[in-house]
Amino acid sequence: MSVTVRVPAKVNVQLAVGAARPDGFHDLANVFLAVSLYDEITATPADGLRVTCEGPGADRVPLDRTNLAARAAEALAERYGRSPDVHLHIAKDIPVAGGMAGGSADGAGALLACDALWGTGASRDELLAICAELGSDVPFSLVGGAALGTGRGEKLTGLEVGGDFHWVFAMAARGLSTPAVFREFDRLGEDRDIPEPVADQAVLDALAKGDVAALAVAVTNDLQPAALSLFPELSDTLAAGRAAGALAALVSGSGPTTAFLAPDAKSASDIAGVLRASGTCRDVRTASGPAPGATVRD
Ligand SMILES: C[C@@](CO)(OP(=O)(O)O)[C@H](O)COP(=O)(O)OP(=O)(O)OC[C@H]1O[C@@H](n2ccc(N)nc2=O)[C@H](O)[C@@H]1O
Ligand SMILES: Nc1ncnc2c1ncn2[C@@H]1O[C@H](COP(=O)(O)OP(=O)(O)O)[C@@H](O)[C@H]1O
């Protein structure tokens, strides 16, 4: 018997970042939108804890106890006083180290899969608490849809979304480390006061109305200058997407994946074709959001 859970990637349609806190994290106003690129995590009973991974970038995914899927299984097992005897197989489609919460998706997916496999019957709040211990983005991977994340991004308020948004994602030739991007954000802001991060009402209204033109002018990412500073070639990808007709072009979270908002599905496919031919990225995918959160597959 095994359980498979499908979990979406995310794009940040607003990422407001405050000053570094004493614990090294940053307070955020993080408006998440789940998009239809998915990892699948399959949990099967085994003699010990084992992780395997297949798909693009699988060679860059750790298979030891640092893998977020393994950590999720251990955390749930410890809470319920059992051994984490499970084989977790990750079928990866979310770009690795791409700013699209791939590792977080695997953590949330493994947690839900083990909960179902072991019949632990943990409540939603218990699962969310474990997710928050695993990482700032992990709670959102569990719930999906759209949400505002405050604190370090783990305190979620669900958001209304009035329609589908169509995106193009350009994957970069290499990854960017999230802590390195936050450190670069701190370095770039050394000489100025960093305001408290607050959600932008224009972003929330655009999501609620499903208004793509309004969302296009409202999207912001405070980590973008830091990501571009560490990876300047991303400016060429952003320019190529804009020239291809994207309504908005931005770095996804800490990057280096770049995200392009398209007027509709057909334009997304056209923009993807132009980006693919531009030679400014490794791979291009289209996706739409909101997508559902972690879901057990039949
Ligand atoms: C930037 C964002 C935007 O959604 O995601 P990515 O774009 O990387 O996917 C998130 O804040 C990333 O969340 P996540 O990847 O879960 O981060 P965590 O494991 O909690 O933290 C990794 C490291 O990132 C930094 N970090 C993370 C979150 C936060 N609010 N402040 C931080 O300074 C810290 O250096 C921390 O040690
Ligand atoms: N299940 C996992 N999948 C991908 N990366 C993981 C996983 N568990 C731990 N990691 C580590 O987390 C780092 C960040 O990867 P990822 O979550 O894909 O990107 P991001 O934080 O930019 O969204 C990787 O470089 C990898 O070392």
Side-chain angles (χ1 to χ4, degrees), residues 38-39 53-61 90-97 171 282-283 285:
Y38 301 95
D39 280 0
C53 183
E54 64 172 330
D59 55 326
R60 285 183 288 142
V61 175
I90 302 168
K92 210 161 227 326
D93 199 31
I94 303 175
V96 176
M171 284 60 165
R282 179 179 53 79
D283 193 13
R285 303 287 299 275

Side-chain angles (χ1 to χ4, degrees), residues 129-203:
I130 297 174
C131 286
E133 284 167 20
L134 295 173
S136 312
D137 273 358
V138 184
F140 180 71
S141 296
L142 188 73
V143 303
L148 169 64
T150 55
R152 57 186 167 82
E154 86 286 18
K155 293 179 189 146
L156 296 179
T157 309
L159 296 174
E160 288 298 313
V161 187
D164 281 336
F165 294 94
H166 297 275
W167 296 87
V168 182
F169 294 99
M171 284 60 165
R174 60 179 170 94
L176 264 182
S177 138
T178 298
V181 175
F182 275 104
R183 276 198 301 276
E184 183 67 357
F185 171 87
D186 293 338
R187 194 185 68 81
L188 293 175
E190 254 164 17
D191 298 329
R192 62 184 174 89
D193 277 340
I194 310 282
E196 288 293 311
V198 284
D200 180 356
Q201 196 57 45
V203 171

Side-chain angles (χ1 to χ4, degrees), residues 48-279:
L49 178 55
R50 190 161 81 93
V51 180
T52 53
C53 183
E54 64 172 330
D59 55 326
R60 285 183 288 142
V61 175
L63 300 179
D64 60 12
R65 301 275 168 124
T66 65
N67 190 297
L68 279 171
R71 289 182 48 209
E74 281 184 327
L76 188 71
E78 192 181 312
R79 189 160 304 209
Y80 283 87
R82 57 170 296 143
S83 303
D85 293 336
V86 65
H87 171 205
L88 297 166
H89 181 71
I90 302 168
K92 210 161 227 326
D93 199 31
I94 303 175
V96 176
M100 297 192 75
S104 305
D106 302 340
L111 189 63
L112 200 59
C114 290
D115 177 56
L117 186 70
W118 297 337
T120 39
S123 68
R124 195 75 173 163
D125 282 350
E126 270 180 279
L127 293 177
L128 283 170
I130 297 174
C131 286
E133 284 167 20
L134 295 173
S136 312
D137 273 358
V138 184
F140 180 71
S141 296
L142 188 73
V143 303
L148 169 64
T150 55
R152 57 186 167 82
E154 86 286 18
K155 293 179 189 146
L156 296 179
T157 309
L159 296 174
E160 288 298 313
V161 187
D164 281 336
F165 294 94
H166 297 275
W167 296 87
V168 182
F169 294 99
M171 284 60 165
R174 60 179 170 94
L176 264 182
S177 138
T178 298
V181 175
F182 275 104
R183 276 198 301 276
E184 183 67 357
F185 171 87
D186 293 338
R187 194 185 68 81
L188 293 175
E190 254 164 17
D191 298 329
R192 62 184 174 89
D193 277 340
I194 310 282
E196 288 293 311
V198 284
D200 180 356
Q201 196 57 45
V203 171
L204 306 184
D205 289 346
L207 282 179
K209 288 186 191 138
D211 184 338
V212 63
L215 187 65
V217 294
V219 289
T220 54
N221 178 1
D222 285 356
L223 290 182
Q224 181 159 318
L228 291 179
S229 168
L230 297 175
F231 200 152
E233 302 89 332
L234 295 179
S235 300
D236 298 335
T237 323
L238 292 172
R242 277 193 209 99
L247 300 177
L250 76 164
V251 169
S252 177
S254 63
T257 302
T258 42
F260 304 88
L261 188 54
D264 50 45
K266 166 76 173 68
S267 318
S269 152
D270 294 345
I271 293 164
V274 176
L275 271 169
R276 233 172 245 127
S278 73

Side-chain angles (χ1 to χ4, degrees), residues 10 12 24-26 28 30 32 99 101 135-137 152 178 182 253-254:
K10 61 81 185 166
N12 309 86
F25 283 88
H26 296 69
L28 306 177
N30 192 351
F32 294 101
S136 312
D137 273 358
R152 57 186 167 82
T178 298
F182 275 104
S254 63

